[in-house]
Amino acid sequence: LGVRAEDLQLAGEAEPGAWSATICHCEFLGYETLLHARLGNADPVPLVARLNGTLRRAAGEACALRPNWQRVHFFDGSGARIN
């Protein structure tokens, strides 16, 4: 599965298709914020969401992220793109 940082948005926890994540830190870049987070608990997957504006969230805080499913890319076990 491949998704670009700009194709992720904050979502409500109960929103269909949203992924539960834990915030690692927020990087403020003026007009946008890079939200560094981890998906899952047992073997967390790191990801970065590129969000418009300034977002102030604390490390360790839970959040939900929703991908733009029209922009998500799928790969098989060898790394070849499926779609």
Side-chain angles (χ1 to χ4, degrees), residues 66-81:
R66 180 177 36 84
N68 176 347
W69 288 104
Q70 295 177 347
R71 308 266 314 185
V72 171
H73 305 282
F74 296 92
F75 301 90
D76 66 14
S78 70
R81 187 172 171 181

Side-chain angles (χ1 to χ4, degrees), residues 11-32:
E13 289 289 331
E15 189 173 324
W19 298 336
S20 296
T22 303
I23 296 172
C24 296
H25 69 278
C26 291
E27 187 177 350
F28 308 112
L29 303 176
Y31 63 95
E32 67 185 9

Side-chain angles (χ1 to χ4, degrees), residues 6-72:
E6 59 269 19
D7 293 326
L8 291 167
Q9 298 177 358
L10 282 176
E13 289 289 331
E15 189 173 324
W19 298 336
S20 296
T22 303
I23 296 172
C24 296
H25 69 278
C26 291
E27 187 177 350
F28 308 112
L29 303 176
Y31 63 95
E32 67 185 9
T33 299
L34 297 181
L35 176 78
H36 298 260
R38 293 183 317 273
L39 294 178
N41 294 322
D43 191 13
V45 175
L47 61 80
V48 178
R50 184 176 165 191
L51 307 169
N52 290 329
T54 300
L55 177 70
R56 300 204 182 277
R57 303 285 289 266
E61 190 176 331
C63 72
L65 295 166
R66 180 177 36 84
N68 176 347
W69 288 104
Q70 295 177 347
R71 308 266 314 185
V72 171

